[in-house]
Amino acid sequence: MRMFSLLIFLVILGVGMGLAQLFYGVTANAESFAIAGVAFLLAALAASSIQVADQWERVIVLRLGRFHSLRGPGLFFIIPFIDVMPYWIDIRVISASFNAEKTLTKDTVPVDVDAVLFWQVVDPQKAALDVADYRSAISWASQTALRDVIGKTMLSNMLEGREQISNELQRIIDARTEPWGIHVISVEIKDVRIPPALEDAMSMQAQAERERQARVILGDSERQVAEKFAEAARTYANDPVALHLRAMNMLYEGLKDNATIVIVPSSAVETMQLGNMAGMTALSMGIANEMAIKTKEKI
């Protein structure tokens, strides 16, 4: 019994007991018992006839077994023993989890898929009269639809296109539940689990693909470097002075970081015109002394 009905029952019963005490006092006699009994019956009938539905509830009222009306929200009245209320239907948005275990994809891979369904009763009369248990019916319709979609989808598409699968599931489930007065708002795929062996194989495949891409990028970088070197060679071939200055700069940079440098006599050294060994030695000693002075100043 709901709180408002209970309150009506207690008020009417209290009034009856008060009248019995007012007319007959505290003496226990047949008249006082009769008034108390009548008050009890009236209180029970009033409490049964007065009903209150919450804002999100709709009540199906059957009169002598036939649909009579849809009541709520708020206060409404029924005829006791003639009207019955078999369903109090919640019209708020409801979430329900469902899954499909060990279901084969189109490429025969067993997967476990978990999803969440958001739905709402938009026609309480159909939900109550056209299906025996609309909650169980929605659950089974969702599971069968999920298995159908998985069986028609490749594993790669399932892993990459969850949004597309969710939209397809929403369309299928909504088409099945619309005759029951139920609207599917959305379907969300939570998780797709694949066998561990296949997961390891896919990880190795992804690693190999990343390595292949790294090698392709490295090869392309080498090609670009070779093109730049060829362009620089053409520039230095037409300007020997620029080549000599570049060679001196390279020598200076090498000696600046490390005062000891070994130059092997070769045609490249002669081409860059780095000079004789005495000049290079003097340059090396000068740079070493300069570095030593800077080190002492820092100390």
Side-chain angles (χ1 to χ4, degrees):
M1 183 180 294
R2 291 176 174 259
M3 294 302 297
F4 187 76
S5 300
L6 179 60
L7 177 63
I8 295 297
F9 175 83
L10 294 176
V11 169
I12 296 177
L13 183 60
V15 170
M17 298 298 292
L19 291 176
Q21 184 177 2
L22 178 63
F23 288 109
Y24 299 101
V26 295
T27 305
N29 51 37
E31 289 79 3
S32 62
F33 280 117
I35 293 177
V38 172
F40 180 82
L41 290 176
L42 290 176
L45 289 175
S48 300
S49 62
I50 299 176
Q51 302 291 332
V52 177
D54 294 329
Q55 180 65 37
W56 57 86
E57 290 180 326
R58 299 296 182 268
V59 184
I60 301 296
V61 178
L62 301 180
R63 178 165 294 176
L64 298 177
R66 297 176 63 86
F67 175 77
H68 174 65
S69 61
L70 179 67
R71 302 296 180 86
L75 182 68
F76 64 94
F77 300 90
I78 62 172
I79 302 175
F81 306 111
I82 296 178
D83 294 341
V84 294
M85 300 173 294
Y87 295 106
W88 294 69
I89 298 178
D90 194 333
I91 63 171
R92 293 175 292 183
V93 176
I94 300 174
S95 62
S97 298
F98 62 100
N99 60 359
E101 297 181 354
K102 304 301 179 183
T103 305
L104 294 179
T105 61
K106 188 176 181 179
D107 47 352
T108 65
V109 177
V111 295
D112 297 339
V113 180
D114 295 331
V116 179
L117 175 69
F118 297 91
W119 57 276
Q120 183 180 23
V121 177
V122 294
D123 192 337
Q125 181 177 346
K126 289 183 178 181
L129 303 180
D130 294 351
V131 60
D133 187 350
Y134 63 91
R135 292 180 180 268
S136 297
I138 292 172
S139 177
W140 287 113
S142 302
Q143 291 186 10
T144 54
L146 179 58
R147 291 180 180 275
D148 291 342
V149 171
I150 292 174
K152 299 176 182 178
T153 307
M154 302 289 289
L155 178 61
S156 58
N157 296 334
M158 183 176 300
L159 296 176
E160 298 175 358
R162 293 190 180 186
E163 184 177 357
Q164 182 179 359
I165 296 176
S166 298
N167 295 335
E168 181 67 14
L169 280 172
Q170 177 183 353
R171 184 188 64 80
I172 295 174
I173 300 173
D174 193 38
R176 293 181 180 179
T177 59
E178 184 179 3
W180 306 336
I182 296 169
H183 172 61
V184 176
I185 299 174
S186 66
V187 180
E188 302 293 337
I189 301 295
K190 292 195 303 182
D191 189 19
V192 178
R193 297 186 297 274
I194 60 178
L198 180 59
E199 186 176 354
D200 294 341
M202 294 178 65
S203 177
M204 295 176 61
Q205 180 182 0
Q207 184 176 359
E209 178 65 21
R210 288 193 296 268
E211 184 177 355
R212 184 188 68 82
Q213 292 179 359
R215 291 185 177 183
V216 170
I217 294 173
L218 180 61
D220 186 67
S221 300
E222 291 291 341
R223 179 186 58 80
Q224 295 179 11
V225 170
E227 291 177 355
K228 293 299 180 181
F229 278 160
E231 182 180 351
R234 288 192 295 270
T235 302
Y236 290 139
N238 299 325
D239 194 345
V241 177
L243 176 61
H244 183 69
L245 292 176
R246 177 56 180 162
M248 296 300 295
N249 181 259
M250 291 171 59
L251 179 62
Y252 173 77
E253 293 293 335
L255 293 174
K256 184 173 64 173
D257 295 333
N258 187 2
T260 302
I261 186 170
V262 177
I263 298 179
V264 179
S266 63
S267 60
V269 175
E270 296 177 358
T271 302
M272 292 187 292
Q273 301 176 5
L274 291 176
N276 57 18
M277 297 300 295
M280 288 187 290
T281 303
L283 178 62
S284 176
M285 294 178 60
I287 295 176
N289 294 332
E290 183 181 354
M291 293 178 63
I293 295 173
K294 289 183 179 180
T295 304
K296 291 181 180 181
E297 291 179 352
K298 290 181 180 180
I299 295 175

